[in-house]
Amino acid sequence: MSAHATPEQIEDVVARLAEAGCAAYVTEGKDATVIGALGESELLAALPLEGFPGVEQVLPILKPYKLVSREISPDPSVIEVRGRRIGHGWFGFIAGPCTVETRAQTLETARVVAAEGVTLLRGGAFKPRTSPYAFQGLGLEGLKILAEARDETGLPLVTELMDPRDIDAVVEYADVIQIGARNMQNFNLLSEVGRAGKPVLIKRGPSASIEELLMAAEYVVKEGNTQVILCERGIKTFERSTRYTLDISAIPVLKHETHLPVIVDPSHAAGKRDLVLPLARAAVAAGADGVIVEVHPRPEEALCDGPQLIPTAEFGEFAGEIRALVSLMGKTIG
Ligand code: PEP
Ligand code: MN
């Protein structure tokens, strides 16, 4: 309570807490009175305490996320996708095109990554582009090409859903639904995929805090879907020599806070192909449960993210480095 709070204002807060079924513990200090409120965090969150007369500050002691927290589920979760596993010692090695451009480019890339024993195939049919004039993806046609690549290689498919109106199409073709960084706080979309009954990969927004990422995951899990993978993909900072700044510390922080698997996208963080391997190595060493990287047969011809794409001709070497480090960490590619 503020230093000038009247006894009536203090009593009013205590009474409102009691009405909401919460216990109130009043401590009178020399300069101010502190009221400790104990009760269901949902009931407390619903009380607009900040607006009560005489209230100076409201400090939540508990974390706002519950279902995704380690307190609820102390054991790490394992996400199972058609026989592949990610989390708790299973490393998700995810690779594939940034964007489906043509059938040939997608199939060629899928074959190369499959031959290196990756866990999942990635690829975008609906692309979140900064410019409305840039290639927006092939849409449904792209999903069909990805499904063909999935059927030929046997690799489960992760692809992005941007618009709830496309959910039926994406659910039909995808094994894992990706929520892109720009949609991380599209709460209706999160609830919608929470009800879709498919594993969900949520990418951290470039300006989102770790707590906001966990709250995004909470939206999905709240709908009954616990099959969620979190992805650190770089955040916006003042640094201009990389596309984003990969927040390596997010990996141990997230793994401390949540039971959900945490993977890293070094491709979008780096924006430059030469940096993808060092950042991927750092991610594995910091305890990531997987990496997701972009590959292309001819990056110089790519319609999206060319500078960061690993050429298919170099993917074998890249995969060898990742496999070596993963086994050094005592993990198995899932
Ligand atoms: C992607 O993975 O295809 C993508 C667009 O990444 P992000 O949402 O992290 O920018
Ligand atoms: Mn991309």
Side-chain angles (χ1 to χ4, degrees):
M1 304 298 292
S2 86
H4 309 292
T6 63
E8 290 73 29
Q9 288 171 338
I10 294 169
E11 271 166 35
D12 186 41
V13 172
V14 171
R16 293 291 295 274
L17 286 169
E19 251 172 57
C22 303
Y25 300 88
V26 181
T27 310
E28 273 177 43
K30 192 160 76 67
D31 298 318
T33 295
V34 175
I35 303 174
L38 214 64
E40 287 285 323
S41 50
E42 272 149 51
L43 294 177
L44 285 167
L47 272 185
L49 289 171
E50 276 101 347
F52 284 17
V55 171
E56 171 84 21
Q57 206 182 5
V58 180
L59 294 172
I61 306 287
L62 290 178
K63 304 270 170 58
Y65 40 87
K66 288 193 281 196
L67 302 172
V68 303
S69 78
R70 279 254 177 197
E71 282 147 31
I72 289 272
S73 244
D75 291 333
S77 298
V78 179
I79 308 306
E80 294 224 22
V81 190
R82 301 206 299 140
R84 309 294 176 126
R85 296 190 183 95
I86 302 177
H88 202 16
W90 297 100
F91 187 88
F93 189 6
I94 309 174
C98 165
T99 306
V100 179
E101 298 164 6
T102 64
R103 183 172 171 271
Q105 161 253 358
T106 303
L107 290 178
E108 193 178 342
T109 307
R111 285 175 195 138
V112 169
V113 300
E116 296 299 331
V118 302
T119 312
L120 306 181
L121 175 68
R122 67 145 287 146
F126 298 99
K127 294 304 296 181
R129 303 305 301 275
T130 303
S131 165
Y133 307 113
F135 177 57
Q136 305 286 308
L138 293 180
L140 185 59
E141 183 54 31
L143 289 178
K144 289 181 180 164
I145 294 171
L146 284 166
E148 191 182 340
R150 188 246 330 259
D151 294 344
E152 189 193 305
T153 59
L155 289 177
L157 175 66
V158 55
T159 195
E160 178 164 353
L161 170 69
M162 287 172 57
D163 186 327
R165 288 171 293 189
D166 297 318
I167 194 162
D168 292 340
V170 171
V171 164
E172 185 180 340
Y173 293 103
D175 298 295
V176 178
I177 304 172
Q178 178 171 322
I179 298 297
R182 288 154 194 84
N183 264 321
M184 191 207 83
Q185 286 190 312
N186 185 336
F187 302 117
N188 293 335
L189 187 63
L190 292 168
S191 299
E192 201 72 51
V193 296
R195 294 188 285 267
K198 288 250 161 140
V200 180
L201 167 60
I202 307 178
K203 301 189 85 176
R204 179 181 181 182
S207 304
S209 67
I210 290 174
E211 185 174 293
E212 286 165 334
L213 172 60
L214 288 167
M215 292 307 281
E218 189 83 13
Y219 265 91
V220 176
V221 179
K222 188 169 176 286
E223 296 302 322
N225 184 356
T226 54
Q227 300 278 97
V228 177
I229 302 164
L230 303 174
C231 180
E232 160 61 36
R233 46 76 77 209
I235 53 175
K236 286 207 169 173
T237 69
F238 51 83
E239 184 51 59
R240 297 274 73 87
S241 51
T242 46
R243 190 173 176 190
Y244 295 92
T245 297
L246 184 64
D247 183 6
I248 285 289
S249 52
I251 304 162
V253 171
L254 282 166
K255 295 209 51 92
H256 180 263
E257 291 298 312
T258 178
H259 53 89
L260 300 174
V262 178
I263 70 164
V264 167
D265 174 349
S267 299
H268 288 93
K272 291 178 188 150
R273 116 175 19 102
D274 290 352
L275 300 179
V276 177
L277 179 59
L279 294 186
R281 279 196 186 119
V284 181
D289 297 299
V291 289
I292 176 166
V293 294
E294 296 186 335
V295 183
H296 195 288
R298 287 165 299 281
E300 64 284 0
E301 293 173 14
L303 297 179
C304 184
D305 290 349
Q308 73 198 32
L309 307 176
I310 303 170
T312 45
E314 292 170 25
F315 187 70
E317 203 184 327
F318 178 89
E321 298 272 356
I322 297 297
R323 281 195 297 267
L325 208 49
V326 166
S327 74
L328 202 64
M329 293 296 290
K331 293 182 179 172
T332 311
I333 303 225

